[in-house]
Amino acid sequence: MSEPTHTENLDQTGSAALPWSRARDLLATQTPHENLTFFVGTIRPDGRPHAAGVGAVWVDDALYFKGGPGTRRSRNLAANPACTVSVRLNGLDLTMEGEAHRVTDTSTLEQVAAVVREGGWPATVVGDGLTAPFTAPSAGPPPWHLYRLELHRAIGIAGAEPYGASRWDFAH
């Protein structure tokens, strides 16, 4: 991912716009080591929303998360890749909007599995997905699909100094 193409200051109290680097650096340093829950919002075929808590990691400037092929989020993403991913980082609430696409190439799967192993989840690559001896019940049975978020927009609200709120738009 590149830098944002546009930054808008959403703060109404006079704080400066937040730099994207703040959100990016928190994602890079807090995943997979902090106990974070990300919430993926998808759209059901009938248009109703769906949200699920998932584990996610930031690897090489991109966000990755998993889901079993039978989970509602995976079925929704197969029909419509539009989604949101939200997380409370240390000092920054972040919502990301974009499209999630399944990753099947072995090199990326191996790279992401290595990063999540650093955080204590013993993931391995099997075929075109991931597996591990344990997981969250919401992931469904293994092997799990890996998704990469193609970021279109992000909104950050700082809960620690320097305070502020910003929206970042990305080329897609």
Side-chain angles (χ1 to χ4, degrees):
M1 178 188 349
S2 61
E3 290 297 308
T5 56
H6 177 74
T7 298
E8 183 172 340
N9 188 351
L10 302 177
D11 188 80
Q12 298 176 6
T13 64
S15 296
L18 302 172
W20 168 246
S21 60
R22 180 173 176 180
R24 184 196 61 223
D25 293 350
L26 288 170
L27 286 165
T29 59
Q30 292 182 16
T31 67
H33 306 291
E34 300 287 329
N35 184 18
L36 301 173
T37 301
F38 290 76
F39 293 89
V40 175
T42 58
I43 304 164
R44 298 173 195 258
D46 66 3
R48 292 180 301 134
H50 174 266
V54 302
V57 292
W58 187 261
V59 178
D60 282 348
D61 231 13
L63 188 76
Y64 293 88
F65 62 91
K66 68 177 176 38
T71 60
R72 170 53 52 200
R73 74 178 159 275
S74 289
R75 294 192 321 264
N76 289 348
L77 291 170
N80 180 352
C83 67
T84 60
V85 181
S86 302
V87 63
R88 171 168 275 177
L89 300 165
N90 293 330
L92 185 74
D93 293 343
L94 183 66
T95 300
M96 298 168 277
E97 303 172 4
E99 294 182 354
H101 298 282
R102 187 164 173 222
V103 175
T104 58
D105 69 279
T106 303
S107 64
T108 303
L109 288 164
E110 291 286 359
Q111 182 181 20
V112 172
V115 170
V116 297
R117 284 193 298 270
E118 291 175 21
W121 186 56
T124 57
V125 175
V126 58
D128 60 1
L130 299 174
T131 190
F134 62 88
T135 189
S138 65
W144 303 290
H145 294 168
L146 181 67
Y147 295 93
R148 179 185 188 276
L149 179 66
E150 177 190 333
L151 191 55
H152 296 179
R153 172 176 284 170
I155 297 172
I157 301 172
E161 291 186 6
Y163 297 105
S166 292
R167 183 183 79 214
W168 305 281
D169 294 311
F170 298 86
H172 57 276

